[in-house]
Amino acid sequence: MHPKFLTKLQQHLSKEFVLTDPQKCWPYGTDGTQCFFMPETVVLPKTHDDVVFITRLCNEYEIPLVPRGAGSGAVGGAVPIHGGIVMSMMRMHNIVSIDHENRVMIAEPGITNLAIQIAAKKHNLFWAPDPGSREYCSLGGNLAHNSSGPRAIKYGTVRENVLALKAVTGNGDTIHTGAYTTKNVVGYDLTRLLIGSEGTLATITEATLKLLPLPKKQMTLRALYRSIEGATTAVTQIMGQAELPSALEFMDKTTVDLVRQYGGVDLPQGVEALLLIGIDGNDHSINDVVSIIQEASKTSDLMTIDIAKDEQESQKLWQARRRISPSLRHVAPKKINEDIVVPVSKIPALLKALEKLSKQYGITIVSFGHAGNGNIHVNLMYDPDNKLQAAHVDECLQKVFTIVLNLNGSLSGEHGIGLSKQAFITQEVDEHSLNLMRQIKQVFDPKGILNPGKIFPANSPPL
Ligand SMILES: Cc1cc2nc3c(=O)[nH]c(=O)nc-3n(C[C@H](O)[C@H](O)[C@H](O)COP(=O)(O)OP(=O)(O)OC[C@H]3O[C@@H](n4cnc5c(N)ncnc54)[C@H](O)[C@@H]3O)c2cc1C
């Protein structure tokens, strides 16, 4: 790295926020995937102007610049595969304003999702996106990956819940997208373009979030089924109602067995599939919605439906979902965790095909997730020391993606492409569309310094 470049950085930011010691840089070289690439330098800006300065300098010296939030991403998005600078946004964690009359919050990208929810709750409001990592993941990461959770079924993903953005493009220009209002048709929708762009087009320095009124009451239902078809038919029936649940989570038999055996969750034998259903609303309306959804959950293979009467009982029912991740560790030393999506009516076909694949390759496949969106977390569990499994796991994964695309689905519902899935993107996105995306990248980031080597296949022409 050019010595003048480093001196200029240190003059602007102060040495404390320009890390060059490998020991201090090391934690910024990985993310939720645990792949590792060492950053040459880590910078910690505090203001929008700092981000402009850093970006212009990287642009001048043509040094890779990787924006980073909390590093919990599931696709290697925040790792510096070409070295250069990692720019941690976590010091920019202020709430700029909360306007409860118009239900709008303006916040900086380093704030955690949970801190947004806590601040909004004081005004009886909430922000819809609710990833499982909410306690530590950053708003910037949520925006960059269009991250969501169970509530997306009723309230949408990040794209439906952001009004405007302030960002810095690859050549250091400041842009403002969208508007403060909930309706806006002035030019192209750059807000929705930047959301999900994985730090490759611009660094987001401020977001205007659409908040929603906090429901007064929440209830949880747990339905157990004797067959997968029983549960998936119920999902289609529930999604056909005018009153949507606020969560509709699915667990297959392998997942149910796992949380029973290793998670200590009390579940009867014979359960082939489980649905966890969240319902929210007002005091006067919620019981009606519960009845409607309870009715829609009924299929010939329904075993029982439990309804939590209070918060404590509700937490107990949700335990089954929360115990999945720790229980997975008992299945095999390694997992490939995908977050594919299919149309809701295709979930049964997907699960049947996965069962076949699991038998064919001798690889345990654990499937669970946000059934209401058809967004299923498919986990291929394998032992790298098992020669047969290790030799077949990539082929098995390829088959998973082929099945999903044949069912009119998509490779990723919420994790993004990053590094992990770039080899597969051409199977979903046609050549012309991918070329258009490359050209868009070029316009936002002419020298290709922003998070290089992500999204586009590794053998793409250089950007
Ligand atoms: C236990 C666990 C549970 C999870 N559950 C969910 C879930 O339910 N739903 C879900 O969707 N995801 C989930 N995730 C994945 C992950 O938490 C999300 O993708 C999250 O939004 C990433 O946020 P982060 O701050 O950690 O981002 P990072 O991992 O730091 O970065 C992710 C991407 O965002 C870019 N980026 C970060 N900040 C900015 C910025 N200011 N401007 C531009 N680009 C930026 C980075 O370059 C990178 O490409 C989970 C992860 C874990 C470990």
Side-chain angles (χ1 to χ4, degrees), residues 42-69:
V42 175
V43 291
L44 297 104
K46 183 67 188 154
T47 65
H48 172 87
D49 289 347
D50 288 346
V51 175
V52 171
F53 179 86
I54 294 162
T55 311
R56 287 198 173 144
L57 203 60
C58 286
N59 195 48
E60 184 188 336
Y61 285 84
E62 299 193 20
I63 289 175
L65 176 63
V66 180
R68 180 185 172 92

Side-chain angles (χ1 to χ4, degrees), residues 57-351:
L57 203 60
C58 286
N59 195 48
E60 184 188 336
Y61 285 84
E62 299 193 20
I63 289 175
L65 176 63
V66 180
R68 180 185 172 92
S72 72
V75 289
V79 297
I81 62 168
H82 293 300
I85 305 284
V86 167
M87 178 162 62
S88 167
M89 304 302 289
M90 296 309 277
R91 284 177 72 225
M92 293 180 66
H93 52 65
N94 292 314
I95 291 178
V96 179
S97 61
I98 302 185
D99 169 359
H100 63 94
E101 268 185 319
N102 292 301
R103 304 202 298 252
V104 174
M105 177 191 288
I106 299 181
E108 291 182 332
I111 189 169
T112 62
N113 183 293
L114 183 66
I116 292 170
Q117 309 300 355
I118 290 171
K121 198 173 177 184
K122 289 184 185 149
H123 300 270
N124 280 324
L125 299 168
F126 73 104
W127 191 49
D130 59 338
S133 50
R134 69 184 72 84
E135 282 170 34
Y136 42 88
C137 69
S138 74
L139 170 60
N142 294 175
L143 296 160
H145 280 326
N146 193 30
S147 308
S148 52
R151 283 200 297 236
I153 182 185
K154 182 168 180 181
Y155 299 108
T157 65
V158 171
R159 283 201 172 110
E160 287 76 49
N161 290 284
V162 173
L163 301 173
L165 296 171
K166 184 174 170 185
V168 180
T169 64
N171 53 17
D173 291 343
T174 296
I175 54 168
H176 296 86
T177 75
Y180 195 82
T181 48
T182 50
K183 289 182 88 177
N184 152 253
V185 202
V186 182
Y188 296 141
D189 187 349
L190 297 182
T191 309
R192 282 165 72 99
L193 173 62
L194 289 192
I195 294 171
S197 66
E198 306 192 24
T200 62
L201 297 181
T203 303
I204 297 162
T205 57
E206 201 175 272
T208 304
L209 311 179
K210 183 173 101 179
L211 303 179
L212 298 167
L214 202 61
K216 289 213 165 54
K217 242 183 146 178
Q218 304 199 0
M219 289 179 79
T220 305
L221 272 61
R222 187 187 68 187
L224 307 178
Y225 296 87
R226 245 174 251 110
S227 72
I228 286 227
E229 291 74 17
T232 51
T233 304
V235 171
T236 320
Q237 287 175 185
I238 294 167
M239 292 309 290
Q241 305 301 313
E243 302 284 356
L244 285 180
S246 54
L248 180 47
E249 299 290 297
F250 164 85
M251 289 164 61
D252 72 356
K253 180 183 184 320
T254 317
T255 317
V256 169
D257 289 347
L258 271 178
V259 296
R260 186 196 295 113
Q261 188 174 352
Y262 301 112
V265 181
D266 186 16
L267 287 163
Q269 295 295 330
V271 177
E272 292 283 319
L274 178 156
L275 292 181
L276 264 175
I277 309 163
I279 296 169
D280 62 13
N282 294 319
D283 289 332
H284 61 275
S285 64
I286 195 160
N287 288 328
D288 290 345
V289 183
V290 168
S291 303
I292 291 167
I293 291 181
Q294 191 178 0
E295 206 46 42
S297 312
K298 289 182 183 161
T299 63
S300 54
D301 279 336
L302 175 70
M303 293 167 73
T304 55
I305 300 188
D306 292 307
I307 304 179
K309 286 191 251 0
D310 53 33
E311 179 57 22
Q312 206 183 353
E313 281 188 16
S314 171
Q315 288 307 321
K316 212 172 153 201
L317 294 187
W318 275 98
Q319 253 180 21
R321 181 69 174 84
R322 279 194 289 269
R323 297 276 165 87
I324 298 174
S325 283
S327 304
L328 280 177
R329 291 187 204 118
H330 296 271
V331 183
K334 283 243 171 207
K335 72 170 178 191
I336 297 179
N337 165 15
E338 294 304 337
D339 73 313
I340 54 86
V341 211
V342 294
V344 172
S345 67
K346 304 286 186 198
I347 298 175
L350 169 76
L351 296 172

Side-chain angles (χ1 to χ4, degrees), residues 366-385:
V366 185
S367 303
F368 59 90
H370 318 302
N373 292 108
N375 185 192
I376 305 291
H377 293 293
V378 174
N379 292 268
L380 308 191
M381 310 300 300
Y382 73 103
D383 181 353
D385 292 334

Side-chain angles (χ1 to χ4, degrees), residues 9-75:
L9 263 185
Q10 286 166 341
Q11 277 169 351
H12 181 89
L13 274 181
S14 103
K15 280 191 172 172
E16 196 188 341
F17 301 118
V18 181
L19 314 179
T20 50
D21 176 350
Q23 275 190 2
K24 290 191 175 158
C25 290
W26 189 86
Y28 297 89
T30 188
D31 72 349
T33 57
Q34 290 170 10
C35 65
F36 182 81
F37 292 87
M38 189 68 175
E40 289 166 72
T41 300
V42 175
V43 291
L44 297 104
K46 183 67 188 154
T47 65
H48 172 87
D49 289 347
D50 288 346
V51 175
V52 171
F53 179 86
I54 294 162
T55 311
R56 287 198 173 144
L57 203 60
C58 286
N59 195 48
E60 184 188 336
Y61 285 84
E62 299 193 20
I63 289 175
L65 176 63
V66 180
R68 180 185 172 92
S72 72
V75 289

